[in-house]
């Protein structure tokens, strides 16, 4: 184990991409719910377009252009943006279809190693998501995917979206710990860089197909992270010896 982990009492996990496979999960629901309205469209391409609106929509909250809104609201707005971009008349799609599709983000499947790895890590550490997901979204994913969290934490609880420092530091405060007693676990170098900048320990989990077989980002550790793991099971192997 890294020497930096000797003080760590809690592991906070990024959720989208690190613990759950959002791309395949969302694309399957796009196919189910929008197949009649987007004939011939590639559901994975649609999922990618939807996800591409994720950071820009949160940035408008981070920079003060709009008040904090939970991610469910942003996802729904982003869905309408993508439909408009693709030339789909959203009024031709029943609102209940769009509402149900928006809930696809509540039904994300875990990576094959996530549940077993988290279960092992839970024996030694407090484990919780530090995700930009709102509480109900993260709770529904945990129920559906059987993620054994000790708590549901993240942006809505902190009132700030990562990588705003407040998202990390308010979560540290909620847990009654200090930054170096917590490690951020993520498949995204930028998330770890932000966490490290406010004093958290870091663990990089490689997810080379989060964005599909042609992924070009986050294929390896780009910082001097405390731990680098192939998946969550490997993380447990390294931290639970």
């Amino acid at each position: 184990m890294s020497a930096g982990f000797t003080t760590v009492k809690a592991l906070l996990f990024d959720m989208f991409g690190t613990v759950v496979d959002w791309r395949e999960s969302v694309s399957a629901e796009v196919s189910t719910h929008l197949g009649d309205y987007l004939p011939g469209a590639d559901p994975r391409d649609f999922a990618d377009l939807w996800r591409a609106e994720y950071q820009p929509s949160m940035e408008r909250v981070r920079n003060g252009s709009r008040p904090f809104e939970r991610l469910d609201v942003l996802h729904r707005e982003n869905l309408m943006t993508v439909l408009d971009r693709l030339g789909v008349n959203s009024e031709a799609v029943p609102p209940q279809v769009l509402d149900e599709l928006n809930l696809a983000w509540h039904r994300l499947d875990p990576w094959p190693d996530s549940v077993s790895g988290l279960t092992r890590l839970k024996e030694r550490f407090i484990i919780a998501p530090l995700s930009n997901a709102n509480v109900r979204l993260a709770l529904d994913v945990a129920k559906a995917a059987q993620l054994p969290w000790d708590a549901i934490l993240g942006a809505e609880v902190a009132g700030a979206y990562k990588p705003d420092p407040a998202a990390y530091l308010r979560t540290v405060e909620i847990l009654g710990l200090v930054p170096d007693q917590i490690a951020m676990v993520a498949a995204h170098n930028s998330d770890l860089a932000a966490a490290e900048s406010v004093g958290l320990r870091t663990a990089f989990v490689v997810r080379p197909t989060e964005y599909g077989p042609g992924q070009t980002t986050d294929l390896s550790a780009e910082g001097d992270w405390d731990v680098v793991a192939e998946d969550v099971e490997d993380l447990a192997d390294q931290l639970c010896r």
Side-chain angles (χ1 to χ4, degrees):
M1 184 193 301
S2 166
F5 266 71
T6 57
T7 62
V8 171
K9 298 181 181 299
L11 304 178
L12 298 176
F13 287 77
D14 170 69
M15 191 172 71
F16 299 123
T18 302
V19 177
V20 294
D21 181 1
W22 62 265
R23 187 174 190 260
E24 290 301 308
S25 303
V26 170
S27 64
E29 298 223 20
V30 168
S31 180
T32 297
H33 297 294
L34 285 185
D36 292 340
Y37 306 97
L38 287 169
D42 186 324
R44 291 183 178 88
D45 288 345
F46 190 98
D48 290 340
L49 288 171
W50 198 355
R51 181 66 172 178
E53 296 298 321
Y54 175 70
Q55 287 294 343
S57 65
M58 291 186 297
E59 182 56 27
R60 289 188 283 275
V61 174
R62 288 189 292 252
N63 67 22
S65 298
R66 64 180 298 180
F68 185 89
E69 289 280 5
R70 65 184 58 180
L71 190 60
D72 275 339
V73 173
L74 302 184
H75 273 156
R76 187 64 155 77
E77 294 173 356
N78 295 343
L79 173 58
M80 304 305 284
T81 297
V82 173
L83 289 171
D84 181 64
R85 183 170 299 158
L86 294 176
V88 177
N89 178 9
S90 59
E91 294 182 359
V93 185
Q96 61 269 27
V97 171
L98 297 176
D99 290 342
E100 189 63 23
L101 178 57
N102 202 50
L103 290 173
W105 296 94
H106 290 233
R107 297 186 285 260
L108 304 177
D109 294 325
W111 295 107
D113 54 274
S114 291
V115 175
S116 57
L118 289 172
T119 300
R120 291 172 60 200
L121 290 163
K122 182 184 174 78
E123 295 178 4
R124 180 162 185 166
F125 302 95
I126 297 167
I127 62 168
L130 175 43
S131 169
N132 284 327
N134 49 283
V135 171
R136 182 57 189 271
L137 191 165
L139 183 59
D140 285 348
V141 169
K143 286 284 192 181
Q146 298 185 312
L147 304 176
W149 302 127
D150 290 308
I152 300 294
L153 303 174
E156 188 176 21
V157 179
Y161 282 118
K162 298 185 299 178
D164 186 327
Y168 306 94
L169 292 176
R170 288 174 189 163
T171 304
V172 171
E173 182 180 0
I174 287 165
L175 287 173
L177 298 172
V178 296
D180 72 355
Q181 291 179 309
I182 292 177
M184 185 71 212
V185 183
H188 311 115
N189 286 282
S190 59
D191 197 352
L192 296 181
E196 184 182 59
S197 73
V198 294
L200 275 68
R201 297 298 180 176
T202 53
F204 181 72
V205 174
V206 185
R207 295 299 189 195
T209 60
E210 176 188 355
Y211 286 89
Q215 182 167 319
T216 59
T217 60
D218 291 314
L219 296 175
S220 62
E222 296 170 8
D224 188 20
W225 314 133
D226 294 294
V227 176
V228 176
E230 294 180 1
D231 55 28
V232 182
E233 277 282 10
D234 183 38
L235 182 66
D237 287 343
Q238 295 186 52
L239 299 185
C240 297
R241 292 171 181 165

